[in-house]
Amino acid sequence: MRAAWAATLLPVLPADSASVADLGCGTGSLSVLLAQAGHEVRGVDLSPRMVAAAWAKANAAGVSAAFVQGDASRPPYAPASCDVVLARHVLWALPDPAAALKIWVDLLRPGGLLVLVEGRWSTGAGLTAAECRALVLDVRREADVTRLDDPALWGRPIDDERYLLVSRS
């Protein structure tokens, strides 16, 4: 799975070291992956147990990354302090995704990159790619969607809608 995520995410990120905010970082899997690729990663998650797991994962991998407990919809980072804002399976769960996106976009430096991994689950929860794209286009000029149906990403075949949305401007 790790190799599949690296092959999916690393080509869309800046080639040089970038400042990445991993919002709703969970146990830090993507944070560690990006830190190993040379990016400066800061993660935030609401759960103190997830933040502790992220710190442990980064330490075990021998990478530098910083994690804090906080609300992903209002991350504790200054405006224009990130080159990349990344969120995986977070936007759909927020009470006001549109408001969160406005805040997230404000975190980006000029030319910054918004990277979202989202889905519409077989349970009916989540956001369709069209819904997510429309939300992003309310705050950005571009929103490119790529379907993520490779079983290597998920550890099994999937039958729901999962996608990567990348907005460069």
Side-chain angles (χ1 to χ4, degrees):
M1 258 192 272
R2 181 171 182 71
W5 280 107
T8 298
L9 293 176
L10 295 179
V12 303
L13 294 180
D16 296 329
S17 179
S19 172
V20 178
D22 185 358
L23 308 180
C25 65
T27 64
S29 294
L30 294 184
S31 296
V32 169
L33 177 77
L34 299 183
Q36 287 175 323
H39 297 289
E40 175 193 324
V41 183
R42 297 175 291 163
V44 61
D45 200 276
L46 193 57
S47 166
R49 292 178 70 194
M50 292 291 186
V51 170
W55 276 110
K57 195 173 283 187
N59 289 335
V63 297
S64 177
F67 303 98
V68 296
Q69 182 184 355
D71 184 349
S73 67
R74 295 190 166 279
Y77 308 130
S81 65
C82 304
D83 300 309
V84 177
V85 167
L86 167 70
R88 179 170 65 168
H89 307 312
V90 176
L91 189 64
W92 75 274
L94 298 176
D96 190 347
L101 277 171
K102 288 177 185 168
I103 291 168
W104 294 358
V105 167
D106 285 345
L107 296 176
L108 292 170
R109 294 183 179 116
L113 184 67
L114 177 67
V115 179
L116 305 175
V117 176
E118 289 292 339
R120 175 72 173 199
W121 321 124
S122 57
T123 62
L127 292 168
T128 66
E131 291 167 331
C132 189
R133 186 172 188 275
L135 285 167
V136 170
L137 289 175
D138 282 342
V139 294
R140 303 274 281 181
R141 292 188 313 262
E142 175 190 294
D144 296 325
V145 175
T146 303
R147 189 163 175 79
L148 297 178
D149 53 7
D150 181 353
L153 292 167
W154 311 108
R156 62 179 176 80
I158 58 161
D159 59 2
D160 46 22
E161 182 183 20
R162 302 184 194 188
Y163 55 89
L164 172 71
L165 185 148
V166 177
S167 177
R168 297 183 189 285
S169 59

